[in-house]
Each structure stands twice: as structure tokens, then as C-alpha cells.
Amino acid sequence: MSSAIVLAGGRATRLAGVVEDLPKALANIAGRPFLDWQLDYLAGQGIVRVVLALGHLAAPIIDRYRGRYGPLRIDHVIEPEPLGTGGAIRYAFAEAGLDAAYVLNGDSLAPFALALLAGDDEFSLAIREVDDASRYGSVRCAGDRIVAFGEKAAAGRGWINAGVYRIRRHALDRWPLPPSFSLERDLLAAHAAEMRPRAVRVSAPFIDIGTPESLRD
């Protein structure tokens, strides 16, 4: 069974005054909650179960989906305290009983063929080229393996993390990380040379609603 975890527990602190009393995932995009667009994408990719990793303002999301969305089974887990991106993923794996899953950020979407990430690797992620990599943490690859992650890049074109992953649960347990940790900083950036996660280059458009400027765009 193909499963996905969507990180939808963010506090939307950068959207204060823009998205009031709603989690970021329910921000109105073209007349529909952003999470609807993500779930449509996942259903079209053959996903059958989605686990929503929730925290702040979980109730409106639970009330909206109530276990189903079209062909998708919708489950949810609520973190007992803020766990960071990495801690939230690890908690969702444990609570949902998953051994492997696709993982997406709840405030961005980069639609491409998820099957490109499938395989035996313990950790795969999509990367995409941007015109100005200095705005993001860039990745450095040797072939299809990431050897450095989150490096500050010079202005100009470069490859960045697209925020879509295929993760096997044991990949989160190889290092003694605390309950709350950042996937990007505390796992990938700190251990990329040892992990050597597989990079999949994609050309999908990148939709980000994490800031007021990107939300308006």
C-alpha cells in the first residue's frame, strides 16, 4: 500500500494577518484549501493512504476530511508538543505504523511523478534547479548522491531541495536525535556525507505558500 505523510502542523507565524485562525494547509488557493490540491495530486499518483501530521490548529483539518478524501484514506496524528520537521515525521511513522512513506511539506507543492523516488534506498528526495540558489540552502551531489546539504550558494543557478521525500523509517533512527529536531538541519545537513541520500532531479513547478509574498503569488 502506497502511503504519504503530509506535514501540516506548522503555526503559520510568517502568515500572521494573512491567514487568520486557520492552519497554513487550509489557506485558500484559487478557491480551495491548499491541502485539497495536495491531496488531489497524491490521489493522482496512486497514493491510497495519507497521514496528516498535525499540531497547531489541528481541529479544522480533522473536521474537514474526517477519514476520507475521494479515494484516499485520511488518518491523522497530533504531535504532543512541537517536534520540528524531523521529529514530526518520526512521530507520524511510529503512530501510523508505517515502515516507508512519501513525505511532503504541507505548505509547498512540486508536482512530479512520485514513482521516481521509489526504490530500495532508505532516503530519497527530489531536487530542482532554480535561477537564484542563494535564496535557499543548496545541495551538492556526486552523481545521484547528495554529499552536502543546506550549503549557502553563490548567486546564480543551482540545485535545491524540493521538499518531497521517500523515507524508510529506520533512516530516522540511525543517529541519537532528540524528540524535537529539524529534518533539514539536524539530519540531512549534519549527516549527508554518511547518509548519501539519493537525489532525483525534477523540473516540476514549485508552489510555496509559506510566506505572505509567495501566498499572494
Side-chain angles (χ1 to χ4, degrees):
M1 180 172 71
S2 295
S3 300
I5 296 169
V6 177
L7 299 175
R11 287 186 171 271
T13 53
R14 291 182 296 172
L15 296 180
V18 179
V19 178
E20 296 290 354
D21 301 321
L22 283 176
K24 273 190 294 187
L26 295 185
N28 188 308
I29 304 297
R32 303 172 65 206
F34 185 68
L35 187 52
D36 280 13
W37 295 104
Q38 286 189 308
L39 295 176
D40 285 342
Y41 162 65
L42 291 173
Q45 295 296 310
I47 300 297
V48 296
R49 182 189 182 195
V50 175
V51 177
L52 302 177
L54 307 178
H56 181 64
L57 292 176
I61 294 177
I62 296 170
D63 289 344
R64 177 171 181 82
Y65 298 104
R66 296 185 177 274
R68 299 295 305 182
Y69 180 86
L72 297 173
R73 169 184 165 184
I74 305 293
D75 296 324
H76 69 270
V77 299
I78 302 176
E79 57 187 8
E81 59 185 353
L83 295 175
T85 50
I89 294 167
R90 187 169 60 185
Y91 185 77
F93 268 110
E95 291 295 301
L98 295 172
D99 292 320
Y102 297 96
V103 179
L104 297 84
N105 290 321
D107 60 0
S108 64
L109 181 61
F112 65 94
L114 279 180
L116 294 172
L117 294 177
D120 295 330
D121 296 281
E122 66 175 15
F123 204 113
S124 301
L125 69 151
I127 62 174
R128 65 185 297 273
E129 195 173 25
V130 295
D131 290 332
D132 184 7
S134 66
R135 295 178 53 197
Y136 309 90
S138 64
V139 299
R140 180 158 51 88
C141 296
D144 67 347
R145 298 290 164 177
I146 294 176
V147 295
F149 184 94
E151 294 186 331
K152 185 175 181 179
R157 296 189 67 81
W159 291 89
I160 66 166
N161 179 11
V164 184
Y165 312 92
R166 173 72 173 174
I167 303 174
R168 295 187 180 274
R169 180 176 175 178
H170 63 79
L172 303 174
D173 298 325
R174 288 177 55 190
W175 289 274
L177 294 162
S180 176
F181 69 96
S182 163
L183 180 76
E184 299 83 0
R185 182 181 64 252
D186 299 323
L187 181 61
L188 290 173
H191 300 290
E194 302 156 90
M195 291 178 65
R196 294 177 66 86
R198 182 168 67 96
V200 175
R201 291 171 171 83
V202 302
S203 58
F206 185 68
I207 303 164
D208 175 21
I209 64 165
T211 66
E213 295 77 16
S214 61
L215 181 61
R216 284 193 295 268
D217 293 343

